[in-house]
Amino acid sequence: MRKVPTKLAGWYWRSFCKTQYASDPTCGGIPNFLRCHISVITLLDRMAKLPGLKVTVDDEGKYGSSTYSDDWKEAHEAGRKPTYRRHKGQ
């Protein structure tokens, strides 16, 4: 292993992707979406097995674990910030 000075408290990398767009019928529809989504999840699962690497997934489609607000509409109407919490996937 080697150390790379970053002047940060810990090292992390963050990114995102939108596999939902792969479901566009002109791009292959649902079969293409499933191929793309499963490929990304498989990649992340394999990365998570690497020593010293922690993988956290936030699935806004709510199929996997994600952080979202159950009260965003009520909070907006009341002029307050919504309450966010971690949910298990559906």
Side-chain angles (χ1 to χ4, degrees):
M1 293 190 65
R2 67 185 178 120
K3 292 184 179 182
V4 178
T6 62
K7 298 182 183 178
L8 297 173
W11 188 91
Y12 68 93
W13 173 64
R14 180 179 289 176
S15 188
F16 71 95
C17 69
K18 298 277 190 177
T19 57
Q20 74 186 52
Y21 299 124
S23 67
D24 183 320
T26 62
C27 295
I30 298 302
N32 191 49
F33 163 75
L34 291 172
R35 182 180 62 82
C36 293
H37 196 76
I38 291 169
S39 295
V40 169
I41 297 303
T42 300
L43 174 66
L44 294 170
D45 285 344
R46 290 181 181 177
M47 289 171 59
K49 292 179 182 176
L50 295 171
L53 187 63
K54 179 182 176 186
V55 174
T56 303
V57 175
D58 197 359
D59 183 356
E60 67 184 26
K62 301 180 185 174
Y63 292 103
S65 177
S66 61
T67 303
Y68 59 91
S69 170
D70 293 315
D71 68 344
W72 67 269
K73 188 175 183 181
E74 295 85 355
H76 178 72
E77 290 171 356
R80 63 175 173 79
K81 291 185 178 184
T83 304
Y84 290 89
R85 67 179 185 86
R86 194 97 181 134
H87 294 76
K88 290 183 179 180
Q90 300 174 2

